[in-house]
Each structure stands twice: as structure tokens, then as C-alpha cells.
Amino acid sequence: MARRRPQPGLVLRLYVAGHAPNSVRAIANARAICSEHFATRHSLEIVDLLEDPHRALIDGIIVTPTLVKLSPPPVQRVIGNLSDTDQVLLALAAP
Amino acid sequence: MKANDALRTQDLARRLSEAQATIQALLSGQIDAVVDPQSSTPILLSHAQAALRESEERLRHERDRAQRYLDTATVMLVALDLEGRITLANRFACAVLGWNEAELLGRDWFDTCLAPRMREEVRARFGDLVRGDVSIAENVVLTRSGDERRIEWRSTLNRDDRGQVIGSLSSGTDVTERSRAAEAVQVAEERMRFALEAAGVGIWEMDFVTGVITWSPILEAQYGLAGGSFKGTFASFSEGIHPDDRAAVVETIEQAMRAGTDFSVLHRALWPDGTVRWLSGSGRILLGPLGTPVRGVGISIDVTERHTLEEQYRQAQKMEAIGRLASGVAHDFNNLLTVILGFAEFVTADALPSSQHARDLAEIVKAARSASGLTRQLLAFSRQQVLHAEPVDVNALITEMAVMLGRLIGEHIEVNVILAPQLSLVVADRGQLEQVVMNLVVNARDAMSDGGRLTIATTDVTLQQRSTDPEVVVPGPYVRLSIADTGTGMDKETQRRLFEPFFTTKEAGKGTGLGLSTTYGIVKQSRGYIWVDSEPGRGTMFSVYLPHLSADAIALPSAPAAATPVAGRASETVLLVEDEAGVRKLSRRILDLAGYRVLEAANGDEADRLFAEHAGAIDLVVTDVVMPGCGGPELVGRLQARAPALRVLYMSGYTEQSAARQAGLDRGIPFIEKPFSSADFMRSVRDALDR
């Protein structure tokens, strides 16, 4: 069960609204970018705010889809359906 | 403070940039929902709402369609959770089980839909299923009304999004009718197989597409093969057929294949160990739409016993017919020879002994006597000659004949004599048995003109009927006398006709064709058997089987009475009855010469009339046994009814035994066998009168 977390680990959380079109697209894009550029050295949690609305408060989410980079610091957010890969990579790599 | 300000500025800048990004995303339509900060509830934007509605609609549509599939499916669809509770049952399943869907959902499948006797077993198998994957099983479900249906299930596992097994999904086909039909077919097949096996019927099947032939174990046994060892090809089938029959059988089957018809064959099977069996087979060839054979089926029965019996019966019938013919010819001949010899005797008595007449007459008598010898042989073949049966030691007989046989055989042939010590005695006519040995030895010699080995052997054997025996045997102890040569041998056809009179393979003038038929007659009359075993180029062995002398052996006949000359002149009156004019005249002449008074009649009725009309006494009736109209015994019966003291003498061209047998005469009644000499005749007449 103990999953070995890659060092340094990239920890991401993606907030979506059910199967709404941009949410679906964002999930697909996030997965693609992760597997292409970070291989196994990442974790991606998907939070559906239609199911768990209260979790929006934790990260101060105001729109979906929103991708949050939790680690390594600093915390970064990318708003939208993540179709601009360069922009996403820039945000994830930013110090 | 300064650092704090810096942080705040940085944070503000970040927030601003996020706000900008958010606005940009909103403007470019990349946002689905905005979270209401008060309630923290995501509020879907209108385009997202529309899209979601649409996808929900699509989802519902999909579900409806799936439901319709479930409802119209003509198989039972049942889903269970891991505990065996029903989570889905389609309309068909409900119809079969007799419940409606709402009643079924949530119930325990095993307790609800299975007969109690199989619940635990099926539940255990369900445990196996959810640990494994797709499986096929058949079991009996219990309907609400208590009926049982046999269902064939195909099951797979239900998994959730994460791939965890959450239950099973099974589709079931009602195979109750099918399995009942299959069972009926199986029972019928079983019954058929039993009947065929009990009747010893072998079955074959041929698939013309693959060329594979299948044989039942019985059929394999009919070809002398161990169960399962038949190779299944046409060539291996053809190998099992006797080479002499192979071409005909193959041709018959090929014809049936061309025409798509039934066929039947009778042929021999040659076993790997050399055994030969007769088989009778029938088959059916089924043609496909293109007119080529598709399938063949058939049966086979071992008919060796029947075939052997038929063969034996045919052979016996043939020999019987030939025997009748021979005996008829011999009978007529004997009458003629009686006349020839008798009158020749009278003329001889009148001729000067040294005259040419006397010498010529002697030649006539010699020829007639040798003709008489031939008729005797014919009668021997038809088993109607007089045998003087007595206990005979076959070993002693062979030993006594050894010197004579050696001279007969010649030096180019090696002779082995193998006599069993303490051989049992047999009952036979010694002289005739000598003739049997001589005939067989001469035949063996003639078959080995270039030299070879002759083996004469004796031994005690016990005969049991075997299927290979050429005739029906009386089981029991016998002495076997075998005479084997290493000569030319004989083919089957020659062996079949071997014992027929006048059948000979020797060149004209070298044999009478009566040697072996005489031998056959003597052996048969001695209640024995003579069998031949021969192969062209390998030699021949004759085996003569004679029954052991037993305690109830026939009483030994006394030696023939010594010839006593008849003295003085007779004075009695004799009624002579004979249909054959020559014999009648001769007999009359002899009786006249002896001084008897003779009344002559050509048949029974005439004799009857003469007897009634004659004033004086009649002392003796001399009559032929077999005559047209009233025969001898019947005539005697009539006459003796009137004159009980009347004496009788029978004459016949048949032997005493056969004439007696045919006419129903008692043994011991005076009888004279034709041809006879005048001295024989006068002595017999005298004896009959003096009894």
C-alpha cells in the first residue's frame, strides 16, 4: 500500500465541476501533461466541487477548473481548461 | 515592517495576476463554475449547465437503450452482488422464474431461485466464480411455482470504476428441452448400442471429407484387432480383407460410392495372426449436394459358423447325391454281371478245358470279375458294402503293412513312421482299412515324383466341434491316422472335389478316380472322418479319424461260413420272383440243374397269382427285394399270411444292410448279394430251405 513518493515530488490538485465540459477537458489535459513531463514523480488529486463543495474554501477556489500546485513551493494556480501546455508548464516550473 | 509590506505587495501582485487570469479564462469560455464565497457553492455557468444537461440526457438515453436491450433479450440476465443478492434481473429472467423484478431485487439468489438440494453446492461455486472470472455452468433453477428448469449460465464479473469486483453478471439459456431431447437421444443410442453389441454387430462410420473411418470395438475384434488399434484409413481396412476377396469388396464399395447406394458384401477377414473369418457387411453411402460421397455408415457380422455349416451341408448333400447315383449304377451293373458270370460259368462247364473257347471264356470271366470289383468300390463309396467290423490295432496294421508299403513307395522317398505308444483300438474292417492306408500312401507317392518325405503317424485325440472343421463331428475320443507328404499339394478347388468318384488329377489311364472316394466311403461307414490339409507346393496331409472301440461296440459278426458243397438232387418247389429277366433266367437255370421245381414270376403280383393257382405245396420263395410295384418284403408278407411255413430267400444288388434297411427286413433273414456264383446261389437256397 505504501506508495513511494518521488523526490522531489510534484503535488497537484485539480478542482472541477462534475462533468462540465471545461472540467472534463482540464482533467484530460492535466493527466496528459503529468504523464508526459513528470512521469511517475507526481501526484494528481481531482476534487469535484459538485460533490464536495466545502473543499473550495481550503484553497480559496473561486472558479473551476483550477489547478493548484501544492509542492514544491511556492503554491501556484492555473485557471482554465489547461489547454495552453506552455503556460501550464511555466506555472508548474516557476520558483 | 518593510519585509511585511514587501510580502503584501507580492501577494497583491499574485492576486491581481490570478484575477487577470481568471477574467481571461472567463472571457475565453474556459470556466465552468464560479464558487459563491458566502455558501461556498459552485454556481454553474449557463454554457456549462447546457452542456451538463445535454450529457445527462445522453446518459439517460444510453441507460434507456440498455434497459430495452435487457428487456427484449431472450436470455436470462441476472446480476448478483458479492453476497449473492440479486441486483438485476431482466424481463426474461423474471418470466422464467415467475417473479417480478421488484420482488426479486435484493433477495438472496440461492435461497429464492434454487432447489434446496443444490443451494450449498451452487453457493460454493459462486464463491469460486467471484474469485475467478468468466465461467460456464449448468444448473437447475426453481421457479416460483415449484417447477425446475435447467439453465446454462455464462457468467462474468462486475467491477466498479476502480476495477474492484462487486458481483457477477450472468446470462442464462433455458436448455431444459434441449437436454431432455439430448437425454432421449442418449438413451436411444445406449439401447441401440446394447442391442448391437449383444447381437455381435460391429459398426463403422466413414467421413469422406477427412477420410477417417471409425470402428466399434466389436468390429475391431472381427478383424482380430485389439480395441482402439484400428488405424482409421481405407487402406488399413482393405488390409484386413483376405487378399482373395479384397478386389471384389473394394470394387463393390467404390460402386456404391459412385452411385450413393447401399451395398452388402460377404468376404473373409484375414487376421494379423493368420486366422480367417467370414464377415457379412452392409453399408450405406450418403452423397452431398455435389454428388460426392460425404458420409458412410454400416454394420458387420461374423458369419463364420453359419458359413461353415452351409459349406458342410452343401458338401454333404453333394456326396449324398453322388452316392445315390453310384449305388444305382452299381446295382444295375451287378444284375448284368450276375448274368454274364453265371452263363459264362455254364458255358465253361460244357467247354473242353484246353480249348480256345475255354480260354476266351476265362477272359470274359476275368473282365466281369474286375468290373464287379469296380462296382464294389462304388458301393464302398456310397457306404453300402458289407463291412466286417472288428477291433483293430492301427499301429499293428501299419507295422504289418510296412514292408509292402516300402516296396510300393520306392527309394526316392524317405519314410517316417511315428506311432503313438499304447494307441487305443478302433472298430473297422481290417481289409478295408488296409485299402485306406494303401490308397493314401499311393496318392502321396504320386504327388512326390521328384522325391520327398512321407510321414505316417498315429495318435489318440479327442474331437470337439471347431468352426474350422470341414464337417459336423460327433465329439469324443478318436484315433488319428495321418499320412503326410511333401509333394505338389492341391488348391482349394481340387480339395473340394477330392472325394468325388471319377474325379482324378492323374493323367488318363493312370487312375480310376475311385481310390479316394472308396477311402472316403470306408471311413464314413466306420463312423470316422477324413480331412485333408494341403497347399500347392507345400504338400498334403490326410487325417483319418476313427472312433475308439467302446464297451457297447457292435457285436462281432462271425466269420463267413466255410463253403460246403451241396450234395444230392433237390426235390422242393421254388417260386422265383425277379424283375430283371437275365438274372431270372440264370437263377432258373441253376435251380433247374439242381433238380428243383421252379415257378417263375417277373413281379410281385404275378407271383401272388401263381402261388394262389398252384395246386401243390411251395417250399421256398426266392425274391428280389426291390421291384417295381409290389416289392419282395410285401409279397412275402402276403404269401406267409396264407402259408406261414413258407421259407424265404432274398436277393439284391444292394448290400444286405442297405437292402434290409430300405425294405425294413430283420437282420438274419436269408439273403444273397448279387452278383453271385451258381455255387453261392445253390448253397443259399439250400440253407434257406434247411433252416
Side-chain angles (χ1 to χ4, degrees), chain A residues 17-23 49-50 53-54 56-57 61-65 75 77 79-83, chain B residues 14 18 21-22 25-26 29-37 39-42 44 47-48 51-52 55:
Chain A
H19 294 292
N22 285 308
S23 296
L49 291 182
L50 295 184
H54 62 277
L57 290 175
I61 299 301
I62 48 171
V63 293
T64 67
V75 172
R77 292 158 195 260
I79 313 292
N81 63 18
L82 311 180
S83 50
Chain B
R14 190 176 52 81
E18 273 182 21
T22 304
L26 271 167
Q30 290 191 27
I31 297 301
D32 295 323
V34 176
V35 180
D36 172 7
S39 63
S40 95
T41 308
L44 284 167
H47 70 93
L52 269 182
S55 87

Side-chain angles (χ1 to χ4, degrees), chain A residues 12-65:
Chain A
L12 302 175
R13 190 177 285 156
L14 175 63
Y15 290 87
V16 297
H19 294 292
N22 285 308
S23 296
V24 172
R25 218 167 293 150
I27 293 169
N29 285 334
R31 283 187 173 149
I33 290 164
C34 285
S35 67
E36 194 175 331
H37 296 278
F38 304 98
T40 56
R41 299 175 289 110
H42 74 274
S43 81
L44 171 65
E45 185 190 9
I46 292 165
V47 179
D48 183 355
L49 291 182
L50 295 184
E51 282 185 16
D52 294 321
H54 62 277
R55 289 192 62 180
L57 290 175
I58 299 168
D59 289 308
I61 299 301
I62 48 171
V63 293
T64 67

Side-chain angles (χ1 to χ4, degrees), chain B residues 400-412:
Chain B
E400 284 161 24
M401 290 178 76
V403 174
M404 189 262 289
L405 290 177
R407 219 176 286 137
L408 206 62
I409 291 163
E411 301 209 327
H412 61 302

